[in-house]
Amino acid sequence: MTVSSRSRPDSQQTMRGLEDDEEYAQKGLVEPRYMGTLADRRDMNALGRVQVLRRNFRFISIVGFGCTLICTWEVILTLLAAGLTDGGTAGLIWGFIAVSLGFTLVYASIAEMASMAPTAGGQYHWVSEFAPKRGQKYLSYITGWLSAMGWQCAIVSIAYLAGTIIQGLIVLNQPDYDFQRWHGTMLVIAISTFSILFNTFLAKNLPFVEGLILIIHVVGLFAIIIPLWVLAPRNNAHAVFTTFNNGGGWDSPGTATLVGLSTTITSMLGYDCSVHMSEEIKDASDTLPKAMMSSVAVNGVLGFIMLVTLCFTLGDIGSVLDTPTRFPFIQIFYNTTGSIAATNAMTVVLVVTLTASTITEVATASRQLWSFARDEGLPFSSFFAYVTPGWNIPLNSVMVSLVITVLLSMINIGSQVALNAVISLTITSLLSAYIISIGCVFLKRVRGEPLPHHRWSLGKYGMAVNVGALAFLCPIFVFAFFPLSTDVTVETMNWSVAMYVAIVGSATIYYLVRGRHHFIPPVALVHRDDSN
């Protein structure tokens, strides 16, 4: 009787809880336990938003999210050829140090804005709130388009790297394999489809998985560099740190190094990914900026260790660049170990982490797309902005991300040059969004206008950090459009400039025709008071 009398109220309470959860689901809201902290609720109220996504990310899981999405040391390995061609070992090492310091200023600026307004919209929201009133709406709109397109292209970029690495392994194991572009496209579609399925059926488990992948990300680095440390012959330290390469035929090694920075820039680009998960992070205004800067620090250290290791153990640059696998790092692994099995095992680590990166890319891109559609920034916005009741994820935006990825990957069948332009568009689009948003908060500081309350602050160094970030971003934005070689042909031209102009031009036309009448600038929803 005692046990029965105690269990009855518990079961009744459980039933009431289930009924409450069902009621919230029917209304499109999340259960109270996923609403976050009191600070989260105040922030959502100040931003004029309703909590429809689950706040189930914590500090470690969001650090893992940033580290595994960017995959700094993995990207350095996969894009090694560009840096070795323009810059060489010295250009890569010193360029990485400069790029890491510059991006630290950029992400510090972004982290502070994220603390002011922790919203999935990220840059386009900040531009709307901080830009001068005259250009406020248009600048916010263009920034939203650039961010949305940049992250959609990023899915293709990472999936394409993972897919073509698999092709490189096939070449290593079967030298008579005919490297076909459509094979790579099918692999991209397969990896993207897996990532989409994970982001739908296993969305609740994403924070837990990010923690596990973070472990693989860190342990995997040592699984690769230890064999290189033990088995590979050493290059001369003086040559490694002082030898620049000008394989692109530029007028000076300095110019070549700046062009070759695309490798290190790509490896440190996109830590704002965590921002677009803001509405799924518990205590976001405090946790998010700390987690973002922690991700930058962790990946910066890991990336530097991998880069220095590679530069000391790569052997002859010319021979590794001419590898039939098309990936110098695979040739380095094979030259070091002399074993196809060991090379396969070391390379599989990258395939796993890059596939995990694709999963997080999908999450970021779909949230950015959903947020922009929520403010009527896209055609068919009501479709993109729909959040599936009970699932509490923007399922339509997730599925559309798959469709866009499949369509973009098919470009590779007709022309790898065109696909490379799409991939380059990731860099230029995201850099543009950084420049505009940081420029707006900098202008607000120059004018002496008050900034919203923020729990993570740059303090008296805010203006200096913003200036340093802009001074770094502007020149690398220009060099991001450069081809790798002065011998420019249709195949070697960097066509991202044409893609970029087309995106900005079409977005502007759509804004003038329809967007300005329907787009709801986020600032119109903001209502702050002294407590916020």
Side-chain angles (χ1 to χ4, degrees), residues 193-250:
T193 301
F194 169 75
S195 302
I196 294 294
L197 292 175
F198 193 100
N199 272 276
T200 52
F201 298 106
L202 299 175
K204 286 185 177 180
N205 300 317
L206 185 58
F208 174 72
V209 171
E210 292 299 339
L212 292 180
I213 297 298
L214 177 61
I215 296 173
I216 297 175
H217 175 67
V218 175
V219 174
L221 170 80
F222 291 96
I224 289 174
I225 63 175
I226 289 176
L228 296 178
W229 287 347
V230 174
L231 300 173
R234 300 288 191 275
N235 288 340
N236 178 271
H238 181 268
V240 167
F241 287 101
T242 62
T243 302
F244 293 85
N245 191 38
N246 188 4
W250 297 95

Side-chain angles (χ1 to χ4, degrees), residues 386-422:
Y386 180 73
V387 174
T388 308
W391 291 42
N392 297 108
I393 60 171
L395 183 60
N396 290 351
S397 290
V398 171
M399 299 308 297
V400 167
S401 296
L402 173 61
V403 174
I404 293 174
T405 301
V406 170
L407 293 176
L408 291 178
S409 67
M410 286 184 177
I411 295 174
N412 184 49
I413 298 176
S415 171
Q416 187 176 354
V417 176
L419 180 64
N420 288 337
V422 172

Side-chain angles (χ1 to χ4, degrees), residues 367-378:
R367 271 53 168 190
Q368 173 67 77
L369 193 67
W370 162 76
S371 180
F372 195 43
R374 178 174 59 177
D375 291 323
E376 301 287 341
L378 297 168

Side-chain angles (χ1 to χ4, degrees), residues 224-235 308-315 331-338 346:
I224 289 174
I225 63 175
I226 289 176
L228 296 178
W229 287 347
V230 174
L231 300 173
R234 300 288 191 275
N235 288 340
V308 172
T309 298
L310 283 174
C311 290
F312 270 95
T313 60
L314 60 82
Q331 192 65 47
I332 294 170
F333 293 170
Y334 181 69
N335 292 345
T336 299
T337 63
M346 294 168 72

